[in-house]
Amino acid sequence: MDSESTHTGISRRRFLKDGILVPLALAVAGGGISTLFLRRADARGFYLRPPGALEERRFLAACIKCGKCAQACPYTAITMAGGEAGVGIGTPHIIAREFPCRLCPDIPCAKACPSGALDRKLEDVEKIRMGTAVIVDRENCLSLRGLRCEVCYRQCPLIDKAITIEPRHNPRTGVHSIMEPVIHADKCVGCGICENACVRDKPVIVVIKSPPVQKDYYEF
Ligand code: SF4
Ligand code: SF4
């Protein structure tokens, strides 16, 4: 028998290689991959939750990952997060560039929630606060370059409330106006329809996190 053999018949060198070094290498590689996924998922810094969601930490504690909100959404706007979400795996979120929230007047997603993670008593779509739209790339906004785009403004379900158009002087031509889309954070609900509608390949207007609406109760 090999002088390095253990009582199981596996050499000590092989045990070290297969039993410790290979799993360690896989764990390090796996950590790198999951870090990559987390970075990608976290690029915007938050998940856009369905209407009526509690503040994020409390939402994560309350959501039972049943998917009833997603089933109730007639626009398939709600998807359940995968492993890249870490502790949020299986929780509902909205990818606005693909399927934004269409602000159903009866907010069926929130009504369907059995856990209180979404506020079932929410009645008024204008009181929804999922996030706030912001023009993050002013250089590439066609309206801000002096063209008549304004697609985000025209698509906004709260047109002339959440987004208005403010004309201002165009210093490049000296004779025209720039029709600037201006977002009013106190009215924007964060539905993401503007982000979905932006005509640029990479949307210049995106929904970011707005100050969380704090609630001191759950509704079961
Ligand atoms: S309000 Fe309507 S469109 Fe928006 S997430 Fe809920 S069910 Fe879907
Ligand atoms: S219905 Fe409520 S508890 Fe179920 S996945 Fe949606 S938010 Fe979570």
Side-chain angles (χ1 to χ4, degrees):
M1 185 183 275
D2 186 334
S3 62
E4 289 196 359
S5 290
T6 64
H7 66 282
T8 61
I10 303 170
S11 79
R12 202 166 283 132
R13 188 174 297 136
R14 173 128 184 239
F15 171 74
L16 272 173
K17 180 169 172 267
D18 293 354
I20 297 177
L21 295 179
V22 171
L24 188 63
L26 288 173
V28 170
I33 290 166
S34 59
T35 303
L36 184 68
F37 277 128
L38 281 174
R39 282 207 191 111
R40 284 177 59 187
D42 207 30
R44 153 183 326 223
F46 82 113
Y47 280 95
L48 190 60
R49 299 299 186 189
L54 295 170
E55 177 275 327
E56 181 67 10
R57 269 188 300 177
R58 301 179 67 215
F59 173 81
L60 286 174
C63 176
I64 56 172
K65 308 176 181 180
C66 63
K68 291 198 167 157
C69 52
Q71 287 166 9
C73 178
Y75 297 100
T76 61
I78 301 174
T79 51
M80 309 308 279
E84 75 282 357
V87 293
I89 184 171
T91 55
H93 69 118
I94 292 170
I95 302 172
R97 186 62 168 168
E98 294 174 10
F99 297 102
C101 169
R102 296 286 171 186
L103 296 187
C104 309
D106 53 344
I107 320 176
C109 51
K111 300 259 181 329
C113 178
S115 71
L118 306 179
D119 183 0
R120 285 196 301 271
K121 290 192 178 156
L122 195 56
E123 300 279 356
D124 182 355
V125 292
E126 294 195 28
K127 295 221 165 77
I128 291 171
R129 289 292 178 274
M130 289 180 274
T132 306
V134 174
I135 297 180
V136 289
D137 184 2
R138 295 178 68 83
E139 277 290 300
N140 285 306
C141 172
L142 296 181
S143 292
L144 291 176
R145 289 174 79 107
L147 300 171
R148 297 302 305 269
C149 173
E150 301 149 39
V151 168
C152 54
Y153 163 73
R154 292 186 198 291
Q155 292 289 316
C156 177
L158 301 175
I159 187 169
D160 288 326
K161 292 180 182 170
I163 306 183
T164 54
I165 292 291
E166 311 290 339
R168 62 178 172 81
H169 178 65
N170 185 337
R172 187 172 61 82
T173 65
V175 293
H176 300 100
S177 293
I178 284 175
M179 307 300 274
E180 176 171 358
V182 175
I183 299 133
H184 303 277
D186 59 330
K187 296 283 193 306
C188 177
V189 297
C191 64
I193 290 175
C194 53
E195 179 176 332
N196 178 262
C198 179
V199 299
R200 303 311 306 254
D201 287 344
K202 187 175 176 195
V204 304
I205 183 168
V206 301
V207 178
I208 62 162
K209 189 174 179 64
S210 56
V213 180
Q214 297 287 346
K215 291 183 186 165
D216 56 3
Y217 61 90
Y218 289 128
E219 291 169 355
F220 290 100

